[in-house]
Amino acid sequence: MTAAKHDVFQAIADPTRREVIRLLSKKELPISEISAHFPISRTAVAKHLRVLSEANLVKGQKVGREKIYRLQPEPLGEVKQWLSYYEQFWNNKLSILKHVVEKEDDNEESIKMIKTDKQ
Amino acid sequence: MTAAKHDVFQAIADPTRREVIRLLSKKELPISEISAHFPISRTAVAKHLRVLSEANLVKGQKVGREKIYRLQPEPLGEVKQWLSYYEQFWNNKLSILKHVVEKEDDNEESIKMIKTDKQ
DNA sequence: TAGACACGAAACCAAAAGGTGTTATATAAT
DNA sequence: ATTATATAACACCTTTTGGTTTCGTGTCTA
């Protein structure tokens, strides 16, 4: 089920939908709270949520009279996989590492773990 | 001025355009050769190329009567950066590191470079 | 039991997307 | 010089997108 009409690439193409994703990454929210963050109508937001839902990026659950949406980030893996092929062409893998390393407290540990894993 | 009308997220949303990107990643090509790979008209392909061009994912250069397009993968970095924020929510960061590390020969060095950089 | 609230569904609309085909122009080849 | 080629530039068509309003239904709460 969960229709295949929209794929993840299309789903993330819209800035509003990316912002919805960002909001939901912080915490699950009902539609009305989500739409409070946008200048557009609740109905319009609901439509974006349907697109996200069709791409399985989001899942809504009815709770009382509300419908709570939460992020399901797994489909982003497809994008990542697609991207990974092109990394060889602009070769800034260092910046990826840098990003991760600079943002983490336990990065030394992570790196060690992998290195150990390799032996 | 390489118009800002289309961003990279929109550009990669279309399967045809992703396929064009794939083709150009192998080797630069004139429009007619690109469109030979698709069931649609050359004009339609040219439009896709214009979208890609506006997103700076592709650059065309006139050579004689042909216009040769080549891939410019740098803007994909924006997608990658966007994605990197969400990696924490699914595939734990280790898989990123793992991917990079396993694919590189000089990874030890890379990692050292960064670590050194931090001190 | 009445409202008020949260949502879904439907009808509608304008603009953009993704196509088409035709015509014009510069370059290459004969 | 003529003709064929590669593409640009239009004009046009149809479907999708992103938005709106309105109305109906279920669910809390005073």
Side-chain angles (χ1 to χ4, degrees):
Chain A
M1 307 296 134
T2 49
K5 195 187 167 199
H6 287 102
D7 72 344
V8 67
F9 287 94
Q10 242 177 297
I12 66 172
D14 185 273
T16 300
R17 282 194 294 265
R18 287 200 299 278
E19 181 65 10
V20 169
I21 290 174
R22 216 202 90 249
L23 287 175
L24 292 180
S25 80
K26 309 282 186 185
K27 116 179 199 284
E28 51 183 38
L29 293 170
I31 298 188
S32 31
E33 260 189 81
I34 299 174
S35 64
H37 288 76
F38 298 94
I40 62 180
S41 70
R42 184 194 51 78
T43 310
V45 172
K47 283 192 188 176
H48 283 302
L49 283 168
R50 199 166 50 75
V51 173
L52 290 170
S53 184
E54 284 169 2
N56 290 310
L57 274 168
V58 123
K59 191 168 172 194
Q61 186 190 356
K62 249 181 302 169
V63 175
R65 63 182 164 185
E66 296 190 325
K67 187 160 185 183
I68 309 291
Y69 278 92
R70 67 168 192 280
L71 184 62
Q72 268 185 323
E74 293 80 8
L76 292 179
E78 193 187 335
V79 180
K80 180 175 182 54
Q81 197 184 345
W82 180 81
L83 263 188
S84 72
Y85 172 74
Y86 297 100
E87 277 165 14
Q88 61 185 291
F89 297 106
W90 91 92
N91 230 15
N92 62 347
K93 292 159 219 159
L94 288 186
S95 65
I96 317 156
L97 281 169
K98 228 172 178 174
H99 177 259
V100 175
V101 171
E102 281 171 356
K103 277 214 150 185
E104 288 237 37
D105 289 326
D106 55 346
N107 54 75
E108 316 276 307
E109 220 174 302
S110 304
I111 289 167
K112 263 186 221 141
M113 277 175 62
I114 288 166
K115 285 172 127 178
T116 307
D117 217 36
K118 280 197 74 180
Q119 298 173 3
Chain B
M1 304 296 149
T2 48
K5 195 187 167 198
H6 287 102
D7 70 344
V8 66
F9 287 94
Q10 241 176 298
I12 66 172
D14 186 274
T16 301
R17 283 193 294 265
R18 286 199 299 278
E19 181 65 11
V20 170
I21 290 174
R22 216 202 89 247
L23 287 175
L24 292 180
S25 79
K26 309 283 187 185
K27 115 179 201 283
E28 50 184 38
L29 293 169
I31 297 188
S32 30
E33 261 189 81
I34 298 174
S35 64
H37 289 77
F38 298 94
I40 61 179
S41 71
R42 189 195 51 74
T43 309
V45 172
K47 282 193 190 177
H48 283 303
L49 283 167
R50 199 165 51 74
V51 173
L52 289 169
S53 183
E54 284 170 2
N56 289 309
L57 274 168
V58 124
K59 190 168 174 194
Q61 185 189 356
K62 250 181 299 170
V63 174
R65 64 183 161 181
E66 294 191 327
K67 187 161 185 183
I68 310 291
Y69 278 92
R70 68 167 192 281
L71 184 62
Q72 267 187 324
E74 292 80 8
L76 293 178
E78 193 187 334
V79 180
K80 182 170 186 50
Q81 197 184 345
W82 181 82
L83 263 187
S84 73
Y85 171 74
Y86 296 99
E87 277 163 10
Q88 63 184 288
F89 296 107
W90 91 98
N91 246 358
N92 56 62
K93 304 138 217 169
L94 288 185
S95 63
I96 321 153
L97 283 168
K98 224 172 177 174
H99 176 260
V100 176
V101 171
E102 281 171 358
K103 275 212 152 184
E104 290 239 36
D105 290 326
D106 53 347
N107 55 74
E108 315 279 308
E109 220 174 303
S110 306
I111 289 168
K112 262 185 221 139
M113 277 174 62
I114 289 165
K115 284 172 127 177
T116 306
D117 218 36
K118 279 196 73 178
Q119 300 175 358

